[in-house]
Amino acid sequence: MTLSSNVTSAPRETISLLRALVEQAPDLIVAIDHDFRLLICNAAYTEEMHRLYGEAPAVGDDVRAFLAHLPDQSGPAEQAWSQALAGREVTVTQTVGDPVHGQEVYELSYGPLHLGDQPAAFHIARRVTARVREEEQLQRRGAELEAKVAEQAAKLERAAEMLQERRARLAAALSVSDVGTFRHDVRTQLSSWDENLQHFFGVEPGEQLRSLGEFLQIVHPGDRASVQANMEPVAIRPGRRSGMFRIVQPGGEIRWLQYRAQVFSGEDGKPAYMIGACADVTPLKQAEHELKERERQLRELADYMPVIVWTQRPDASLEYVNRRWQDYTGLDLRASHAGGWRQVVHPDDLRSADAAVARARRHKEMFEVECRLRCVTDGAYRWHLVRSTPMLDPKGRVQRWYGTAVDIEERVQSEQRLEQIKADLQRVNSNLARSLAQFEGIIGSISDGLILFDAAGNRVVVNAAARRLHGIPPEADIRQTRSQNMADFDVRDLAGNPLPPEAWPSSRALKGEIFAGVEVRMRRIDNNVEWVASYSGAPVYDEHGRQIYAVITFRDVSERRAAEQALQTAVEARDRFLSIASHELRTPLTTLIMQLQMTRRRIDLETGKVPPPADLVKTLDIANRQATRLAKLVDELLDVSRSGLNRLEFNFQPTDLGQLTAETCGQYATALEQAHCPLVLSADAGVVGEWDTARLEQVIGTLLSNAIKYAAGTPVHVAVRRRNDQAVLTVRDHGPGIPPANRAKVFDRFERYVEDDAITGLGLGLFLAREIVRGHQGEIELTPIEGPGACFTVTLPLKPKEAKAPTAA
């Protein structure tokens, strides 16, 4: 122990005594004076402070300053020191240290210390970490045990409640069901019965033990011996038991009882008693008897049916065949087992029959197949329609298969004769069928509405087409009165005048009138859209000639009228094309013939005189130009024909669009000059793509030719640009432009910019240009511009995603 040099007031012998005591003590001992200066501390205290905090106060240091920077120590420690300096003894338990250097639990005893006339205080710290942790562990264990005890108690309480509830439910169930319980003592052969069982046995209710002999008197004589044998002690073994027996009630009525019981052993391990229940199953036994009787009757009925009938077990093995099967095939049930029936099936039909059976068994569904079966009497095969249907239990498992085989030989022969007649008719009417194919396609695509009225005018049947055409909501009730139905409709004549109800098609049919093609204007119920309907109607009579129904059918003829108009337009376009084509083809052909005839007349075979070579060259040049023109017209017609069949040929190869455009413009230089159309060409370099060079040259030539024809005397601007992964070609003229009425159909076949007979051509150029551009997966369009003229823009992908392979023309 170390003493401060400035502590002189205390007797030296007292300090020496304290030093000896403190240094020998294993506990932590500290003494302070009234100014909280450290007077005494032993080595155990110094070592512990260094271990826990990394530092320790020295003798003479202010203990309060040391405690102030310790975590959570200054408050409680300073308060305890103050109480000790005041003369009171204090004992506390405190955790000392920090998480870094370690923590310990100490029991600290503070008390006053007298060193002469100077007040002082001390504390002794004893480490109690192990004891505290043991106490805490014991407390935790105690709490865990208490929780487990509480949990087990709760479980026992719940189990008791559940047991009580189950007993109540069992008692309630037994009270409302035909079930009675019993307890039979194996050793004494005495039994106790509940009230339900006593009621079954027909004995007076009362709690008493009854002997085995008394019970056997109630059992039916036919079952008495077997019941007694099962109740003998030597026959009873521990475990579950069940069975069925009959009893005879006092009134003589026989009832069937089914029992289930459990045999329990005594302390000696031998059967001691039996507890069980009996249920009255008389209705079930009666139902089984009735079912067997009904099955017997059905089998007798099946034996006299002219149809083959059989049943199969879930594994498809035969269970029953009727007499018709045996008479027809000569096979009884045993001979038909294990695939024996296969010998009467025609070999060519076995595969389809096996496939139908396998599919039906796999999907648990009915199968149906037509096959030929051999008759035992004459060995001939006759066609039969074979069906088999599974009977499923509530869980979807097959319980039995029911099958029939119906002789359809006459029907098959009739069908074969009918097929032969059809074949003959098809050969006779083949030409008519081909000519009517298109008409039948149109008729087949039209869905007529149908409404059936009863004699009172109420709707009986409204088909889906009628609902759709009239706009009747799906949820609307069609079985309304006639007055309610009529309120929903607005019927007018073709001029738009309302028709009186008595003139409606339905009213006319209800009055017995037969009509067809009556057209009226209708309005849909759901959206009030007007449409034109064509009605047909007729009455329906019974065998006594009384009208019982009226039927009307109708169709929407708005589209038909539009189709007729479109057809008329197409016919006009065709006639216009034929007129143009005849003129265009006749002109070069006439010139060619005239040149050849004139040359022929100038040749004299007798004298050998021929025209001069210059005249022949001139004549041949004219003939060549006309023949070339004629060939070009024919090529255009061929391309139109191929485009309609999607058979335009393409040969894709790397092509520089700018270079191709410049070369094509060069070919038309003379024509442009003659038409006084100055050409302005602007092309980006390197616009190269995978295209058909010849076809694109045809597109460029068509656009230039049109500009020359329709915009003579004005400049023509041609540009080639690259836009990302696309090439863009524009051809613009400054002529009169395209009339607004023709812009929507400028790319249609047989159409021309203007109605001018002075303009040559078939009106196919832009149509073919569009088809060629589409073959390159591109687009051609008439682009809006400011000012006069027309501008066509062609957009082409540099590399089509899927280049179409050329097909044979």
Side-chain angles (χ1 to χ4, degrees):
M1 184 175 70
T2 305
L3 294 176
S4 176
S5 59
N6 61 355
V7 179
T8 57
S9 58
R12 186 171 300 276
E13 59 276 11
T14 302
I15 297 300
S16 300
L17 179 59
L18 286 174
R19 179 190 303 165
L21 293 174
V22 168
E23 292 297 338
Q24 295 298 322
D27 297 331
L28 312 183
I29 300 177
V30 179
I32 64 171
D33 62 11
H34 64 284
D35 292 327
F36 280 83
R37 289 179 302 172
L38 185 63
L39 295 176
I40 302 173
C41 65
N42 63 352
Y45 175 80
T46 302
E47 292 175 0
E48 191 70 3
M49 289 300 101
H50 276 288
R51 186 177 69 85
L52 295 176
Y53 299 110
E55 61 177 326
V59 174
D61 290 347
D62 189 339
V63 175
R64 286 177 296 190
F66 174 72
L67 295 175
H69 70 277
L70 298 182
D72 301 328
Q73 302 296 322
S74 59
E78 186 175 351
Q79 184 179 3
W81 280 118
S82 299
Q83 292 178 355
L85 289 172
R88 294 192 296 274
E89 294 183 355
V90 181
T91 300
V92 297
T93 300
Q94 186 173 357
T95 300
V96 180
D98 57 36
V100 177
H101 298 86
Q103 292 180 324
E104 297 288 348
V105 181
Y106 281 90
E107 184 179 76
L108 305 175
S109 297
Y110 293 85
L113 178 64
H114 299 285
L115 297 176
D117 57 353
Q118 185 179 21
F122 74 94
H123 85 65
I124 301 175
R126 181 169 300 156
R127 187 184 301 171
V128 293
T129 303
R131 188 192 71 190
V132 169
R133 290 177 179 173
E134 183 177 355
E135 291 176 353
E136 291 176 349
Q137 186 175 4
L138 290 174
Q139 290 177 355
R140 285 195 300 271
R141 289 181 179 177
E144 291 174 356
L145 289 175
E146 290 179 0
K148 290 183 178 179
V149 170
E151 181 181 0
Q152 293 299 325
K155 288 183 178 179
L156 289 174
E157 185 176 357
R158 287 195 299 270
E161 292 176 354
M162 291 176 62
L163 179 59
Q164 184 177 1
E165 180 182 355
R166 289 179 179 176
R167 287 177 176 175
R169 288 183 179 180
L170 178 60
L174 292 176
S175 65
V176 298
S177 63
D178 292 337
V179 178
T181 61
F182 65 88
R183 185 183 189 279
H184 176 70
D185 193 311
V186 177
R187 296 170 180 173
T188 63
Q189 292 291 290
L190 296 176
S191 303
S192 61
W193 306 334
D194 67 359
E195 293 184 2
N196 279 4
L197 198 57
Q198 292 174 6
H199 174 71
F200 292 164
F201 292 159
V203 301
E204 293 295 329
E207 295 185 2
Q208 59 179 335
L209 298 177
R210 303 179 185 273
S211 65
L212 177 61
E214 186 178 358
F215 167 64
L216 292 176
Q217 291 301 318
I218 302 172
V219 176
H220 190 279
D223 299 335
R224 193 171 294 166
S226 61
V227 171
Q228 182 176 4
N230 289 333
M231 298 295 289
E232 294 291 341
V234 295
I236 296 178
R237 297 290 183 270
R240 298 182 181 275
R241 303 172 67 86
S242 62
M244 192 177 297
F245 61 91
R246 291 167 291 176
I247 61 172
V248 181
Q249 293 186 336
E253 183 180 4
I254 299 175
R255 308 292 294 180
W256 280 91
L257 296 183
Q258 183 178 19
Y259 76 91
R260 294 181 183 275
Q262 176 78 35
V263 178
F264 298 91
S265 301
E267 295 180 356
D268 55 0
K270 296 180 180 180
Y273 59 92
M274 178 192 305
I275 295 178
C278 293
D280 189 342
V281 294
T282 303
L284 178 61
K285 296 295 291 185
Q286 292 174 348
E288 290 179 355
H289 176 73
E290 293 175 358
L291 181 61
K292 290 181 179 180
E293 180 63 21
R294 185 172 301 175
E295 185 176 356
R296 183 189 63 79
Q297 295 174 357
L298 290 176
R299 291 195 176 188
E300 289 182 355
L301 177 62
D303 283 338
Y304 289 98
M305 291 177 62
V307 177
I308 295 173
V309 178
W310 73 89
T311 62
Q312 294 170 278
R313 299 180 182 87
D315 60 357
S317 61
L318 279 173
E319 182 182 41
Y320 163 77
V321 291
N322 70 340
R323 185 178 300 172
R324 171 63 179 169
W325 168 263
Q326 300 180 41
D327 294 342
Y328 183 85
T329 65
L331 302 177
D332 57 10
L333 180 61
R334 175 176 295 180
S336 302
H337 265 299
W341 57 270
R342 297 171 62 86
Q343 61 184 295
V344 302
V345 181
H346 195 284
D348 295 342
D349 301 335
L350 273 174
R351 177 175 297 180
S352 60
D354 290 339
V357 171
R359 184 168 55 253
R361 292 190 63 188
R362 184 167 57 253
H363 299 290
K364 300 178 183 178
E365 62 184 14
M366 184 189 78
F367 77 83
E368 178 178 306
V369 66
E370 294 183 2
C371 61
R372 288 162 288 183
L373 303 180
R374 188 181 65 238
C375 181
V376 68
T377 56
D378 56 5
Y381 285 93
R382 296 178 62 84
W383 282 98
H384 285 73
L385 176 62
V386 181
R387 290 192 180 100
S388 185
T389 304
M391 183 180 70
L392 306 179
D393 62 13
K395 295 183 177 180
R397 295 173 299 195
V398 177
Q399 290 184 318
R400 186 175 284 109
W401 292 86
Y402 293 96
T404 60
V406 181
D407 190 328
I408 58 171
E409 179 68 22
E410 294 182 0
R411 191 200 77 183
V412 172
Q413 292 180 358
S414 299
E415 289 177 352
Q416 292 175 349
R417 289 193 294 270
L418 181 60
E419 289 298 324
Q420 183 62 38
I421 294 173
K422 287 182 179 179
D424 295 339
L425 289 175
Q426 287 177 354
R427 286 192 297 271
V428 173
N429 297 325
S430 58
N431 293 332
L432 179 61
R434 284 194 297 269
S435 63
L436 294 177
Q438 183 177 8
F439 177 75
E440 290 178 352
I442 296 174
I443 295 300
S445 65
I446 297 176
S447 180
D448 290 355
L450 182 145
I451 300 180
L452 182 67
F453 298 90
D454 61 16
N458 301 318
R459 292 184 300 199
V460 178
V461 176
V462 179
N463 70 347
R467 284 183 178 268
R468 175 178 53 80
L469 290 171
H470 280 313
I472 301 175
E475 67 276 5
D477 183 12
I478 66 168
R479 298 183 180 276
Q480 295 180 337
T481 63
R482 177 165 173 76
S483 59
Q484 291 173 326
N485 293 331
M486 295 177 68
D488 296 332
F489 291 92
D490 179 13
V491 185
R492 300 174 182 267
D493 59 18
L494 294 180
N497 302 313
L499 284 178
E502 59 271 15
W504 288 12
S506 58
S507 301
R508 293 171 61 180
L510 286 168
K511 288 186 291 186
E513 183 179 350
I514 299 175
F515 56 90
V518 176
E519 295 186 358
V520 296
R521 293 188 177 275
M522 305 290 297
R523 286 192 179 274
R524 289 178 58 91
I525 296 174
D526 53 356
N527 56 19
N528 208 33
V529 172
E530 186 178 88
W531 58 290
V532 180
S534 176
Y535 275 89
S536 299
V540 179
Y541 300 99
D542 63 9
E543 63 274 12
H544 303 293
R546 294 174 299 188
Q547 182 176 350
I548 55 175
Y549 295 108
V551 61
I552 58 172
T553 61
F554 51 93
R555 64 188 64 180
D556 186 350
V557 296
S558 304
E559 293 185 0
R560 187 195 69 191
R561 291 193 171 196
E564 291 173 353
Q565 183 63 36
L567 181 59
Q568 181 64 28
T569 302
V571 170
E572 293 174 357
R574 182 202 64 188
D575 294 341
R576 186 168 62 254
F577 162 72
L578 292 177
S579 175
I580 295 171
S582 62
H583 173 74
E584 293 294 330
L585 293 172
R586 188 67 181 174
T587 299
L589 189 59
T590 301
T591 303
L592 181 59
I593 293 173
M594 289 177 61
Q595 292 296 324
L596 293 176
Q597 289 177 349
M598 291 173 59
T599 303
R600 178 64 182 86
R601 291 192 191 102
R602 297 177 65 184
I603 299 175
D604 190 341
L605 295 178
E606 295 180 358
T607 62
K609 183 179 179 180
V610 296
D615 293 344
L616 288 176
V617 170
K618 182 178 179 181
T619 300
L620 292 175
D621 287 342
I622 295 173
N624 183 57
R625 285 197 300 271
Q626 298 304 323
T628 302
R629 180 181 174 187
L630 187 60
K632 182 179 179 182
L633 293 174
V634 173
D635 287 341
E636 287 185 351
L637 290 175
L638 286 175
D639 280 345
V640 169
S641 176
R642 291 168 179 170
S643 67
L645 299 174
N646 293 324
R647 296 175 66 181
L648 278 178
E649 295 182 356
F650 294 95
N651 182 19
F652 293 94
Q653 59 185 352
T655 303
D656 189 323
L657 185 59
Q659 180 180 349
L660 177 63
T661 303
E663 293 174 355
T664 306
C665 290
Q667 297 173 10
Y668 283 80
T670 302
L672 289 167
E673 183 179 355
Q674 292 175 353
H676 304 289
C677 293
L679 177 67
V680 180
L681 174 61
S682 174
D684 291 345
V687 183
V688 180
E690 294 287 335
W691 302 309
D692 187 314
T693 305
R695 290 295 186 184
L696 289 188
E697 181 180 353
Q698 186 178 349
V699 173
I700 300 169
T702 297
L703 297 179
L704 289 173
S705 177
N706 284 343
I708 293 171
K709 287 180 184 179
Y710 298 102
T714 66
V716 177
H717 292 264
V718 179
V720 177
R721 299 285 183 263
R722 176 167 181 168
R723 185 189 302 158
N724 297 328
D725 57 351
Q726 292 181 326
V728 180
L729 167 68
T730 58
V731 178
R732 177 184 177 179
D733 60 56
H734 292 75
I738 300 175
N742 291 349
R743 290 176 183 174
K745 53 183 180 178
V746 70
F747 291 102
D748 293 344
R749 67 181 77 189
F750 314 136
E751 294 293 340
R752 301 201 290 183
Y753 283 15
V754 295
E755 300 293 339
D756 187 352
D757 293 338
I759 302 299
T760 62
L762 300 176
L764 298 174
L766 288 179
F767 170 76
L768 289 175
R770 183 187 64 181
E771 296 302 304
I772 293 172
V773 172
R774 285 181 175 176
H776 287 75
Q777 301 177 17
E779 294 181 358
I780 181 172
E781 57 184 343
L782 181 60
T783 309
I785 57 174
E786 295 182 1
C791 180
F792 289 90
T793 301
V794 178
T795 305
L796 299 170
L798 297 180
K799 186 175 183 180
K801 295 181 180 178
E802 293 181 2
K804 296 181 180 178
T807 58

